[in-house]
Amino acid sequence: MTLSFRPSDVLNMSGNLPPKVPHVFDDAYRAAVQHVMSSCEPSHLIGAHQFRGSERDRALGARFVGRRMPESPAADRVVVANGTQSILMMLLAGIVGPNRRLAIEALSYPTVQTFAQHLGFELSPVAMDGEGAVPEALEAICRTERPAAYYAMPTIQNPTTGTMSVERRKAIAEICRRYEVAIIEDDIYSLLPKDAPPPLSSFAPEISWYVLGTAKSLSAALKIAYVVAPSAEAAAERFWPGVRATYWMCAPMNGAIVSSLIETGAVEDIIEAVRAETRVRQAMVSESVSSPDLRSRPDCLHVFLPLPADRPAKDFVARVRALGVDVSPASTYAMNDSPAPNAIRFGTGTPRDRAAFERGLAAITKVYRG
Ligand SMILES: Cc1ncc(COP(=O)(O)O)c(C=O)c1O
């Protein structure tokens, strides 16, 4: 096996982390750590496994996800876990599992494809338009391929940045209900926009698993995500020690720190700071790329840039790389080798500061302008 490492002087813009906002984050995080240390006995905090998170963390998790819901869910439907990937692994293993099928947008989060290989299930890629999954295409797949679940990213889709309208969400929820297909909704990009439509899950809560991670709005490696199960019983059944694994559990200290940030309202300040920095970087993108083809929005971490036909994405990526910057071709996100548009995706938040971002953007623009 060959391992390839990115030389340290190559600027990573293929990743998609929120920009660092130390002027707000650092003091808020320090205060939260101090609060946790002074308000609990460490041996009590970490003395026992909390399979679905402590009662306090689940209650504050319900408050956090409530910012996206018509109303906060009951805390016993909420599970606090070690990031979105851990939740997805549990849900995909439990709801889909070997030899069954998962419907997924044709371009989507590549990790799900890795999970399909690990867990032995098949993917059914769903055709997309500017909003995301096309209802008629999903329905045809539900009818003919009988997927056990649909992995949905209806708000600021990765990589295309599409967001489903309320009408689209209702139509998709209805199809899933009719064909008894569970919805696994990954809403990780929904916290920066202030006008995101309600989650898809809110239109069919009885069949939906709503997942809200903190990695794209607060900080990349906090390792806390919340899942809202269709019911308290379903939460207890899917996330319980009988599966003889505990990898999804968050470290109690992490859970308690994020709870403290939620309780004091510091999460709002951090999200606002990430949003503000993202808007500045997105304004720089619109100004320098300035193309009607550009697909993004001011409060979106990533940019999807369709390319002219005579400039294939793979060559484009290689030319940007020769200038010391990494971006991804759309084919990285193609499920089951679905046809990928001639486009690239790059993240705005991964460069450590604005100057580094400017350098990366200049390289992309130079190649784009040819
Ligand atoms: C759609 C999507 N979900 C989840 C994640 C990762 O979330 P976490 O770090 O909470 O596992 C990413 C990161 O790239 C992502 O793009």
Side-chain angles (χ1 to χ4, degrees):
M1 184 170 72
T2 0
L3 294 177
S4 62
F5 294 95
R6 179 184 282 125
S8 55
D9 55 349
V10 172
L11 183 67
N12 173 9
M13 287 181 63
S14 64
N16 200 23
L17 313 182
K20 291 194 184 110
V21 288
H23 58 293
V24 174
F25 188 87
D26 289 0
D27 281 348
Y29 191 81
R30 275 191 202 106
V33 172
Q34 275 156 13
H35 175 255
V36 174
M37 284 292 93
S38 60
S39 63
C40 77
E41 285 169 45
S43 56
H44 181 69
L45 180 69
I46 57 175
H49 293 89
Q50 299 284 351
F51 296 102
R52 278 170 281 138
S54 71
E55 228 166 87
R56 174 180 152 77
D57 290 348
R58 277 188 283 146
L60 284 153
R63 190 195 291 181
F64 185 69
V65 297
R67 52 189 295 138
R68 287 284 298 123
M69 303 274 176
E71 58 183 29
S72 287
D76 57 7
R77 286 174 61 203
V78 175
V79 178
V80 188
N82 177 33
T84 298
Q85 288 195 355
S86 299
I87 292 171
L88 294 180
M89 188 78 166
M90 286 298 283
L91 296 180
L92 295 170
I95 297 173
V96 186
N99 304 319
R100 301 183 73 200
R101 283 191 166 269
L102 177 73
I104 185 165
E105 282 127 32
L107 297 181
S108 189
Y109 181 36
T111 299
V112 177
Q113 187 146 285
T114 308
F115 287 163
Q117 285 151 8
H118 286 331
L119 296 171
F121 62 82
E122 301 295 329
L123 297 174
S124 294
V126 183
M128 302 168 77
D129 62 11
E131 288 190 28
V134 172
E136 294 73 24
L138 178 64
E139 174 152 28
I141 282 172
C142 290
R143 205 176 35 246
T144 56
E145 303 188 15
R146 295 274 158 200
Y150 162 45
Y151 169 77
M153 223 189 305
T155 307
I156 306 196
Q157 212 263 351
N158 181 16
T160 62
T161 76
T163 292
M164 287 184 193
S165 61
V166 167
E167 294 64 40
R168 175 73 59 98
R169 288 167 198 248
K170 285 182 181 162
I172 297 259
E174 199 38 51
I175 292 165
C176 292
R177 187 177 275 131
R178 193 164 349 117
Y179 290 92
E180 298 179 352
V181 171
I183 294 171
I184 299 173
E185 177 174 9
D186 187 344
D187 209 25
I188 198 159
Y189 291 104
S190 69
L191 294 177
L192 298 187
K194 286 187 170 166
D195 57 353
L200 173 61
S201 304
S202 62
F203 299 103
E206 77 287 1
I207 52 166
S208 295
W209 297 81
Y210 174 77
V211 186
L212 187 61
T214 57
K216 306 295 179 184
S217 52
L218 293 177
S219 193
L222 271 180
K223 302 313 292 176
I224 292 294
Y226 303 95
V227 54
V228 183
S231 64
E233 296 71 33
E237 187 193 346
R238 287 278 165 241
F239 293 85
W240 83 294
V243 297
R244 303 200 191 287
T246 56
Y247 66 86
W248 73 86
M249 273 184 52
C250 69
M253 185 70 189
N254 287 353
I257 290 169
V258 179
S259 288
S260 171
L261 293 171
I262 295 168
E263 192 168 44
T264 61
V267 281
E268 308 302 331
D269 302 336
I270 298 169
I271 291 171
E272 185 50 47
V274 171
R275 181 186 291 130
E277 180 59 25
T278 302
R279 287 192 166 151
V280 169
R281 294 189 188 195
Q282 284 286 2
M284 290 162 72
V285 173
S286 314
E287 198 169 307
S288 63
V289 177
S290 114
S291 158
D293 296 332
L294 189 78
R295 281 204 244 149
S296 199
R297 37 182 291 164
D299 38 25
C300 172
L301 290 184
H302 52 284
V303 175
F304 193 71
L305 180 61
L307 300 170
D310 61 350
R311 258 174 295 152
K314 287 234 159 80
D315 294 353
F316 189 96
V317 169
R319 288 182 59 200
V320 175
R321 169 83 185 203
L323 298 175
V325 179
D326 254 355
V327 299
S328 313
S331 55
T332 307
Y333 308 89
M335 297 292 127
N336 279 3
D337 295 324
S338 297
N342 187 33
I344 57 157
R345 191 208 77 167
F346 61 93
T348 58
T350 311
R352 63 187 307 274
D353 53 30
R354 242 178 252 174
F357 178 66
E358 201 161 14
R359 175 168 83 75
L361 189 56
I364 295 166
T365 311
K366 184 164 189 236
V367 177
Y368 187 72
R369 293 206 184 125

